[in-house]
Amino acid sequence: MTTTQKTTVPPARKRTTTGRSVPPQSHRPKAPLNWGKISAWAVLTLAILITVVPFLWMIRTALSSNHSLAANSASLLPADFSWGAFKRVLGMQSAEEALAEGGSGAAINFWLYLRNSFIVSTMVTVCQVFFSALAAYAFARLKWPGREKVFTFFLATLLVPPIFTALPNFLLIKNLGMLNTFLGIALPSMLMTPFAIFFLRQFFMGMSREMDEAAKLDGASHVRIFFQVIMPNAVGPIATLSLLTFIASWNEYFWPLLVAQEENVRVLTVGLSVFKSQSPQGAPDWSGLMAATLIAALPILILLIAFGKKVVNSIGFSGIK
Amino acid sequence: MAVTGEYVVLNIAFQTVFALGLALLMYHVAKSTLIRGIILLPYLIANVVVALLWFWMLDYQIGIVNQVIEWMGLPRIAFFGNETWAIPTIAFVNVWRHMGYTALLLFAGLQAIPRHVYEVAALDGAGPWKTFWKITLPLLRPILVLVLVVTVIGSFQIFDTVAVTTGGGPVNASRVIQMYIFDKAFTEQEFGYASALASVLFVVIGIVAFLQMKFLRGNESELD
């Protein structure tokens, strides 16, 4: 309900149902209420600005040319508009050109990193969601002794810090000879995570049992029930989970940093930090850096614009049991 | 470890207060998904991206924040290059990234509080301030504790932001525990020592989470 609606038609009853702690008596509390609303909106607007402005600043810097940045460091529009930074980051500029525009001149190719990130995130998402769905099915739909205990134990592993498992995992991947391979980057998160299982189990438990019982009477096996009854009915949650998994995997930095240093398997996040460290110390290639960060953030921004509602609504869910 | 402690305290304190404020605001004036989406945006962007973005905006020479500071007639601050400022700055960057996410969790918690409790309070003549302290906060406590436990565990593992911006410097001022473990294992090749450190971190996190649950009585609800 908006403020305007409230001032024009003030139904005394309605006000209490909005959850405001205002006594539902006369017109008197209207004024302080509205002042409260105005200041609340002001603070909220400020919060939104604080959230959004850095992103605009990123775009503005990415479209500027390095040499003009210092002189026009406070102008809101791009200083000396140029696509140079994007060309440089995507490896479409020769070393001399890049140097002339304030880059490091070192070869950098974000197309490649973009592709790598895409491969890894897709591998992780597809496998993790599939295996987690299998496990969630077992936890939600099958009856076996100790089920609840095993599940609690599973959930408790959420507390284990990733660095605790990262070191032994690193040795494992190294001994398997998988350093600097896509499989090596993806493997530790490809199997399942407690969160994904918890998320799907919640939905599987809520589904009506009649359907799979009917299927069972018709002689369907568990495999068949899983693929033909459960999965088609859980498209929504599975899509949401895939989205969350993809984003998480796209943003992962620590693990790829450990196992994938080589150029041909480097993912975006690691590529970014390498790019930053190559940048000249005294006068960093700011517009190049911002162009690179924009490229790294863009797929997520697109996903968010396309499926924002799903993501936003799932957040509340993940916090509450 | 002391550095990590300082970071955790700063990060959690500001993040929780801001997030609670935001959640209350959203609950009272704006429940639209669009606003929630915008608020959530920084959380969905990679740590590394966020770190670089702020590294640029907080640059000593030509970063926009220092321009504003100078315009207000104050001296420039070397946010990442100064020993006292490094950790608060990194904490701030992560508060910015996680605030919206935490706010959405708390927002969901607020929505779970039944309406009639507020109505009764209003009938009894409780003002907004009193309602907040006597009704909202106690009833929100289970969620708040859960959120606190999760965010504290997360913030003990600060690494990405530090690695990209200061790399542990200046002069170890921002050498957080995970950075230290990483250096030990991969720069100095002392895997055994690093694993021992990681185990200690695990135990510390476990103890902190347990204490939080116990002292804040996170698993009890006042709603029944």
Side-chain angles (χ1 to χ4, degrees), chain A:
Chain A
M1 184 175 293
T2 62
T3 328
T4 45
Q5 274 174 324
K6 243 186 203 165
T7 41
T8 47
V9 200
R13 270 277 189 68
K14 269 248 164 94
R15 219 180 286 133
T16 51
T17 55
T18 56
R20 291 295 302 222
S21 49
V22 175
Q25 1 156 319
S26 62
H27 294 280
R28 290 222 61 187
K30 221 167 75 183
L33 177 81
N34 283 344
W35 272 115
K37 285 239 157 177
I38 291 167
S39 47
W41 269 108
V43 178
L44 202 58
T45 315
L46 189 72
I48 291 172
L49 278 180
I50 292 173
T51 309
V52 174
V53 166
F55 289 103
L56 296 179
W57 201 248
M58 175 159 129
I59 298 170
R60 172 258 179 205
T61 310
L63 292 172
S64 302
S65 83
N66 263 321
H67 300 301
S68 313
L69 272 179
N72 304 296
S73 52
S75 81
L76 288 177
L77 290 171
D80 198 2
F81 184 88
S82 113
W83 290 106
F86 282 98
K87 285 193 190 146
R88 182 159 64 253
V89 168
L90 293 174
M92 289 151 68
Q93 228 174 23
S94 68
E96 297 84 55
E97 270 181 298
L99 278 174
E101 288 191 17
S104 68
I108 192 100
N109 190 349
F110 271 81
W111 281 125
L112 183 68
Y113 306 156
L114 206 60
R115 188 205 67 177
N116 294 346
S117 268
F118 200 77
I119 293 176
V120 170
S121 302
T122 309
M123 274 165 77
V124 169
T125 308
V126 171
C127 297
Q128 194 193 103
V129 171
F130 176 69
F131 290 127
S132 298
L134 286 178
Y137 178 73
F139 279 125
R141 291 302 179 120
L142 306 185
K143 286 199 182 76
W144 39 281
R147 185 179 81 166
E148 298 310 315
K149 281 197 184 107
V150 173
F151 184 68
T152 313
F153 183 73
F154 238 89
L155 268 191
T157 59
L158 271 173
L159 289 176
V160 180
I163 182 119
F164 185 68
T165 51
L167 298 180
N169 273 347
F170 175 80
L171 291 180
L172 189 65
I173 296 289
K174 192 176 160 195
N175 292 338
L176 287 171
M178 286 192 208
L179 286 185
N180 292 311
T181 62
F182 288 127
L183 194 60
I185 311 175
L187 200 57
S189 40
M190 255 166 78
L191 295 178
M192 47 178 96
T193 64
F195 170 73
I197 296 176
F198 170 73
F199 188 92
L200 287 178
R201 173 178 169 268
Q202 216 66 355
F203 285 101
F204 289 175
M205 291 210 313
M207 283 178 178
S208 112
R209 285 192 166 269
E210 284 161 23
M211 273 187 307
D212 42 332
E213 260 149 33
K216 220 176 271 171
L217 282 180
D218 288 344
S221 63
H222 279 302
V223 177
R224 221 166 141 197
I225 294 177
F226 177 74
F227 281 107
Q228 300 198 329
V229 179
I230 299 286
M231 289 298 255
N233 279 303
V235 174
I238 284 178
T240 307
L241 180 66
S242 307
L243 211 59
L244 294 176
T245 313
F246 190 87
I247 293 175
S249 157
W250 187 270
N251 291 344
E252 177 65 31
Y253 173 66
F254 187 63
W255 178 252
L257 178 71
L258 299 187
V259 295
Q261 280 292 347
E262 270 172 30
E263 170 96 25
N264 59 335
V265 290
R266 198 180 280 159
V267 297
L268 266 170
T269 45
V270 180
L272 269 176
S273 68
V274 170
F275 185 43
K276 189 237 161 193
S277 58
Q278 281 175 348
S279 195
Q281 271 298 313
D285 177 8
W286 288 121
S287 54
L289 265 174
M290 287 303 112
T293 53
L294 196 61
I295 291 169
L298 209 56
I300 301 298
L301 292 177
I302 293 170
L303 277 182
L304 192 67
I305 290 167
F307 306 104
K309 216 164 190 165
K310 268 207 159 77
V311 178
V312 170
N313 290 336
S314 71
I315 299 297
F317 172 84
S318 60
I320 300 175
K321 287 177 238 173

Side-chain angles (χ1 to χ4, degrees), chain A residues 17 21 40 43 50-51 54 57 61 73 159 161-163 170 251 253-254 258 276 286 290 300-301 304 315 319, chain B residues 25 38 41-42 44 46 53 55-57 67 96 105 115 128 131 146 153 157 159 164-165 178 182 186 191 202:
Chain A
T17 55
S21 49
V43 178
I50 292 173
T51 309
W57 201 248
T61 310
S73 52
L159 289 176
I163 182 119
F170 175 80
N251 291 344
Y253 173 66
F254 187 63
L258 299 187
K276 189 237 161 193
W286 288 121
M290 287 303 112
I300 301 298
L301 292 177
L304 192 67
I315 299 297
Chain B
L25 283 177
I38 293 172
L41 187 61
L44 299 174
L53 174 58
F55 194 62
W56 155 234
M57 301 223 315
Q67 300 287 329
W96 182 77
L105 293 181
R115 278 279 151 76
T131 314
L146 195 73
I153 292 175
Q157 300 164 45
F159 175 80
V164 178
T165 54
Q178 188 155 338
F182 174 78
F186 295 96
F191 246 80
F202 181 24

Side-chain angles (χ1 to χ4, degrees), chain B residues 122-179:
Chain B
L123 281 178
D124 288 346
W129 190 246
K130 205 169 175 192
T131 314
F132 173 74
W133 285 106
K134 299 272 175 186
I135 309 253
T136 313
L137 216 49
L139 289 182
L140 191 62
R141 206 196 54 216
I143 305 291
L144 199 57
V145 173
L146 195 73
V147 168
L148 269 176
V149 172
V150 172
T151 49
V152 167
I153 292 175
S155 73
F156 263 107
Q157 300 164 45
I158 166 83
F159 175 80
D160 302 4
T161 320
V162 179
V164 178
T165 54
T166 63
V171 208
N172 288 341
S174 62
R175 187 160 302 272
V176 291
I177 186 78
Q178 188 155 338
M179 190 82 212

Side-chain angles (χ1 to χ4, degrees), chain B:
Chain B
M1 196 69 206
V3 175
T4 313
E6 187 193 346
Y7 167 80
V8 170
V9 170
L10 279 174
N11 178 263
I12 294 303
F14 284 101
Q15 183 171 305
T16 312
V17 172
F18 286 158
L20 187 57
L22 260 182
L24 283 169
L25 283 177
M26 286 195 289
Y27 180 73
H28 285 306
V29 295
K31 294 182 184 179
S32 90
T33 315
L34 178 69
I35 291 183
R36 280 189 277 158
I38 293 172
I39 300 275
L40 186 65
L41 187 61
Y43 179 73
L44 299 174
I45 303 296
N47 264 323
V48 180
V49 170
V50 169
L52 279 176
L53 174 58
W54 281 100
F55 194 62
W56 155 234
M57 301 223 315
L58 298 174
D59 181 62
Y60 184 72
Q61 299 290 340
I62 54 175
I64 180 66
V65 176
N66 266 321
Q67 300 287 329
V68 174
I69 289 176
E70 195 172 54
W71 176 71
M72 290 194 299
L74 299 167
R76 288 165 178 260
I77 300 167
F79 286 101
F80 287 105
N82 177 306
E83 282 180 49
T84 27
W85 277 98
I87 278 294
T89 305
I90 290 164
F92 160 77
V93 170
N94 279 303
V95 167
W96 182 77
R97 180 168 181 262
H98 289 268
M99 194 171 66
Y101 174 69
T102 316
L104 283 199
L105 293 181
L106 295 176
F107 177 76
L110 284 176
Q111 286 187 314
I113 298 176
R115 278 279 151 76
H116 63 84
V117 187
Y118 287 112
E119 281 163 27
V120 172
L123 281 178
D124 288 346
W129 190 246
K130 205 169 175 192
T131 314
F132 173 74
W133 285 106
K134 299 272 175 186
I135 309 253
T136 313
L137 216 49
L139 289 182
L140 191 62
R141 206 196 54 216
I143 305 291
L144 199 57
V145 173
L146 195 73
V147 168
L148 269 176
V149 172
V150 172
T151 49
V152 167
I153 292 175
S155 73
F156 263 107
Q157 300 164 45
I158 166 83
F159 175 80
D160 302 4
T161 320
V162 179
V164 178
T165 54
T166 63
V171 208
N172 288 341
S174 62
R175 187 160 302 272
V176 291
I177 186 78
Q178 188 155 338
M179 190 82 212
Y180 188 60
I181 296 175
F182 174 78
D183 278 347
K184 273 278 175 244
F186 295 96
T187 321
E188 298 173 29
Q189 303 296 330
E190 290 196 48
F191 246 80
Y193 188 66
S195 305
L197 282 173
S199 313
V200 171
L201 177 66
F202 181 24
V203 172
V204 169
I205 289 177
I207 292 173
V208 171
F210 175 76
L211 289 179
Q212 278 180 305
M213 287 307 265
K214 193 157 169 81
F215 283 107
L216 299 167
R217 294 176 298 141
N219 40 11
E220 293 165 32
S221 173
E222 238 111 294
L223 267 182
D224 316 311

